[in-house]
Amino acid sequence: MKIFVEDIKEHLGHYLALVFILAFGVGALVFFQRTPQMQIISAFLTACFYVLWGVVHHYIEKDLHIRVVIEYITVALLGFLILWSIIIRT
Amino acid sequence: MSFLLNLFFPHFGNNHKAKIIKTHGIFILTLSFVFFQVFLNFFALSRPAVLGFSANISPEKIIELTNIERAKANAGALRESRLLSEAARQKAADMFAFNYWAHVSPSGRSPWAFFTDVGYRYQYAGENLARDFSDPSSVVKAWLNSPSHRENLINGKYQEIGVAVVDGTLQGVETTLVVQLFGTPYGAVAPKPEAPKTAEEPIVVSEVLSKGQETVPVTSPLDITKAMAFVILGILIGVFAVDVFVISPKQTPRLSSRSLAQMVFLLAILVASFMIKQGAIL
């Protein structure tokens, strides 16, 4: 737990940026409640920015690898598809 | 047991990362989700009465499509009647308020009561109902495929139409109701002696759903999609959380994405999924 907290403290700026990206994305989805096209664009942009965050974070940490990028893309794709499926059914 | 351990828990045997949160594990989950959605779409389209739908239907489009079909059948185009539209809206509101899916309300109120309530004196009257369709063309197509609804839709005796598309919760399911009312104002045409369909004897109407289908517990594709999303997100968030708390203390060196970031991202998706609410865009 101590190491976990230290990790967050060490990368506080990174994680705050991530929280900001995600909060902004969720906020946009709620804000565009009656406009599905805008909700889909918001979800897509949030997923893209998430991948970008991962790339930048690992680049700074000097452990950027294509495998890592693919992991972020896969999770971002799953997240986007889940939101997209829900949005098109509303 | 070993399989489950490999799938959900990071240890030496799976290279210190649960298989389900490895790239191929998440990819398989993503593919499963996509296949399930495709299946859900096919099932919902083939059984619209079983799976509820939220819809993007406008009354104008329903009227336009109805008139196109009437033109094909050489029946005259219908004029939109504000009174009939209001009667249709009141009928839909009544169905949601008293939670029924039928032409006659549980209290015995007939469709024709809504005509007279808004001051529409009719010579001929008819009603078509639909629910759980996603687009106007599917609604009109379903009515055309049913002989009794088709008879209403292309009946040359009608001169006016009113349509209401109303969202609400019916029998515990969020759905969209389409109420289509036909009418001919009293005295607009001289009744033919051989076909005395008077105001007191409106054309017999029927429902898109059969009586048997009324008792089928319906659910909406949205609810099913959300349920599946919550299960997938719940599992992944849980496994990423275990990964964070198991791997971090050990400081196991590995080339991998940050599990904490992945967990936070999926949590945001979960929150967003909860917050996205159903609603038609008209």
Side-chain angles (χ1 to χ4, degrees):
Chain A
M1 193 66 183
K2 193 181 170 188
I3 293 164
F4 169 68
V5 173
E6 278 173 8
D7 177 56
I8 293 178
K9 277 184 182 172
E10 193 184 335
H11 304 108
L12 190 63
H14 295 199
Y15 286 117
L16 280 178
L18 176 64
V19 169
F20 176 78
I21 290 168
L22 298 177
F24 197 79
V26 173
L29 284 166
V30 175
F31 182 78
F32 295 117
Q33 195 72 255
R34 291 274 166 182
T35 322
Q37 292 88 349
M38 290 303 293
Q39 282 185 312
I40 289 170
I41 291 169
S42 304
F44 181 74
L45 287 178
T46 306
C48 289
F49 275 110
Y50 174 63
V51 174
L52 188 67
W53 177 90
V55 171
V56 171
H57 171 76
H58 285 269
Y59 178 77
I60 293 169
E61 293 298 306
K62 295 182 173 53
D63 60 351
L64 182 62
H65 190 276
I66 187 68
R67 217 175 75 185
V68 173
V69 177
I70 290 170
E71 274 185 25
Y72 280 104
I73 290 174
T74 315
V75 172
L77 179 69
L78 174 64
F80 170 70
L81 284 173
I82 284 174
L83 290 180
W84 180 74
S85 305
I86 292 172
I87 291 165
I88 60 163
R89 296 191 189 286
T90 58
Chain B
M1 192 62 190
S2 162
F3 172 76
L4 290 176
L5 198 69
N6 277 332
L7 198 61
F8 296 115
F9 196 80
H11 62 99
F12 178 77
N14 54 19
N15 206 16
H16 302 284
K17 189 163 185 178
K19 282 190 171 179
I20 200 166
I21 57 168
K22 285 183 175 175
T23 303
H24 61 269
I26 293 169
F27 190 69
I28 288 168
L29 270 179
T30 307
L31 272 183
S32 309
F33 184 76
V34 170
F35 280 127
F36 183 77
Q37 289 302 311
V38 172
F39 167 77
L40 198 60
N41 279 345
F42 275 114
F43 188 70
L45 283 173
S46 60
R47 300 287 299 276
V50 177
L51 290 179
F53 256 115
S54 62
N56 186 10
I57 302 168
S58 75
E60 293 77 21
K61 192 69 185 169
I62 294 281
I63 294 171
E64 183 192 331
L65 292 172
T66 300
N67 276 332
I68 288 171
E69 293 304 326
R70 287 177 67 87
K72 287 179 192 169
N74 293 320
L78 298 171
R79 294 186 305 272
E80 185 176 5
S81 159
R82 284 189 181 184
L83 286 178
L84 286 183
S85 294
E86 175 58 19
R89 195 197 60 75
Q90 287 186 14
K91 171 64 189 272
D94 193 69
M95 289 172 79
F96 282 125
F98 296 97
N99 202 28
Y100 68 95
W101 170 238
H103 285 292
V104 179
S105 78
S107 60
R109 201 166 186 223
S110 78
W112 327 124
F114 297 93
F115 284 65
T116 51
D117 281 357
V118 296
Y120 190 90
R121 292 185 68 227
Y122 58 86
Q123 189 158 342
Y124 300 107
E127 179 187 67
N128 280 344
L129 301 175
R131 63 181 283 188
D132 310 330
F133 287 92
S134 59
D135 61 278
S137 56
S138 298
V139 177
V140 175
K141 194 176 170 187
W143 280 333
L144 286 170
N145 288 336
S146 156
S148 56
H149 291 89
R150 184 184 167 81
E151 188 189 328
N152 257 350
L153 207 103
I154 60 168
N155 194 318
K157 288 175 184 169
Y158 297 136
Q159 294 183 349
E160 295 183 341
I161 186 171
V163 175
V165 181
V166 186
D167 286 337
T169 303
L170 193 68
Q171 294 161 342
V173 177
E174 283 192 18
T175 191
T176 302
L177 274 182
V178 181
V179 179
Q180 185 183 45
L181 298 182
F182 302 97
T184 300
Y186 190 77
V189 290
K192 293 176 184 175
E194 67 274 16
K197 298 247 180 183
T198 63
E200 286 71 38
E201 296 171 71
I203 285 174
V204 175
V205 292
S206 59
E207 304 163 58
V208 170
L209 288 182
S210 70
K211 294 287 180 195
Q213 283 171 313
E214 280 179 38
T215 56
V216 175
V218 291
T219 185
S220 83
L222 177 68
D223 293 338
I224 296 172
T225 300
K226 277 193 172 182
M228 193 183 184
F230 294 157
V231 168
I232 290 174
L233 291 170
I235 290 170
L236 288 179
I237 289 166
V239 177
F240 273 122
V242 168
D243 192 74
V244 167
F245 290 105
V246 169
I247 294 299
S248 292
K250 290 180 183 170
Q251 290 190 295
T252 310
R254 65 178 190 187
L255 187 65
S256 171
S257 58
R258 296 282 178 273
S259 292
L260 179 62
Q262 302 278 42
M263 191 176 83
V264 171
F265 174 74
L266 293 174
L267 269 172
I269 299 295
L270 187 70
V271 170
S273 304
F274 268 115
M275 293 179 92
I276 295 173
K277 295 218 168 65
Q278 201 170 28
I281 307 298
L282 297 174

